[in-house]
Amino acid sequence: MLDTQLKKYMKEFSKKQGSKTVILLCKQELDYTNRHPAFFKDERESLKLIEADNSTRFANAYIERADKQTDETLAVESPEFLQQPLTYLKKHKREYLYTASDWYDVIGIDGISLELDDVFGHYNCMLGLKLQKKYGPEIQAALDSLLAGEGSGQLMFEGNEGIWDVNFALNQVPGYHEDMVLLEAFILVYEILFALMEKLEQSMQQ
């Protein structure tokens, strides 16, 4: 699951670097390999694992601004756009942001969308989690344990695509504050999803 997906990411990263044997991992991923030394034995012996800044995950990300009503693409932005304050979404309520990153393969998603909820006024995160339908209760339990406050996200299984549609409020993610920039917000979402996947992995091994 998470261990396999991270190992696959590391192998693909190594291939992209050609003959280089240095792998850049952010702290969360690096700590994970340290917690599973046997599984990552070969990589730890043959590759040099170096800690990278968390922003590395979005250095080459695809970033799209889209219309909430029509899903029409308004613009494709450079990673520098993520230095905009989170409150950009309050000033542009008809828009949502969609990001895709190679790092998302590690946590089993294609992309993350972020928008201001028109009804409740919180920042809403939306994504599709590539897990089987039977894992619904485990996903909900993990969300409940990781998010603060009541109503820890909504789940709906899309049978045609075989994924879980997951929605939750960024405001409920520990570490959230409205003064953050968009980059910090997406890092926070990625990291809570990584923690979610690790909890699911642990529950499945019991």
Side-chain angles (χ1 to χ4, degrees):
M1 196 176 167
L2 184 59
D3 51 8
T4 303
Q5 290 164 186
L6 180 55
K7 179 173 281 197
K8 181 181 178 182
Y9 173 83
M10 292 167 68
K11 287 181 179 178
E12 291 177 351
F13 184 98
S14 181
K15 286 180 182 178
K16 289 178 183 177
Q17 298 301 304
S19 61
K20 295 181 180 179
T21 57
V22 173
I23 299 290
L24 297 179
L25 294 179
C26 299
K27 185 178 187 305
Q28 196 173 24
E29 292 82 4
L30 192 58
D31 287 349
Y32 179 86
T33 66
N34 291 333
R35 288 194 294 274
H36 301 273
F39 188 83
F40 292 98
K41 182 177 182 294
D42 292 343
E43 288 74 19
R44 291 161 64 89
E45 291 179 351
S46 62
L47 302 170
K48 185 175 182 179
L49 307 184
I50 296 179
E51 183 175 333
D53 187 83
N54 292 337
S55 62
T56 301
R57 300 185 185 109
F58 297 91
N60 298 302
Y62 173 82
I63 301 158
E64 180 182 314
R65 291 168 39 229
D67 187 281
K68 286 162 67 172
Q69 298 298 321
T70 65
D71 283 333
E72 176 187 358
T73 299
L74 302 174
V76 175
E77 303 286 354
S78 68
E80 286 71 28
F81 179 81
L82 295 183
Q83 295 303 324
Q84 291 275 348
L86 178 62
T87 51
Y88 172 92
L89 293 169
K90 274 193 173 179
K91 296 176 181 177
H92 302 81
K93 294 182 179 180
R94 74 184 186 96
E95 296 182 13
Y96 71 87
L97 298 180
Y98 173 83
T99 63
S101 167
D102 290 344
W103 289 76
Y104 289 176
D105 290 339
V106 175
I107 53 175
I109 65 172
D110 291 326
I112 297 170
S113 295
L114 185 63
E115 68 178 35
L116 185 75
D117 187 279
D118 296 325
V119 177
F120 299 104
H122 58 234
Y123 297 98
N124 194 36
C125 307
M126 299 161 287
L127 57 114
L129 197 57
K130 300 173 185 175
L131 285 173
Q132 293 175 310
K133 185 177 182 180
K134 64 181 179 180
Y135 294 122
E138 287 85 355
I139 299 171
Q140 188 65 65
L143 280 174
D144 290 342
S145 69
L146 291 167
L147 299 177
E150 298 180 0
S152 302
Q154 297 179 334
L155 302 178
M156 180 178 294
F157 188 72
E158 290 288 346
N160 291 334
E161 298 184 29
I163 61 172
W164 280 99
D165 284 339
V166 181
N167 295 347
F168 60 88
L170 175 66
N171 307 55
Q172 291 183 296
V173 178
Y176 159 82
H177 58 89
E178 198 172 36
D179 293 334
M180 61 176 39
V181 298
L182 290 165
L183 175 61
E184 293 173 301
F186 279 106
I187 289 173
L188 206 59
V189 174
Y190 175 94
E191 292 184 344
I192 202 76
L193 292 173
F194 190 101
L196 170 71
M197 294 302 290
E198 187 166 9
K199 277 188 172 293
L200 291 173
E201 184 175 67
Q202 291 167 354
S203 68
M204 293 172 190
Q205 291 172 350
Q206 293 175 355

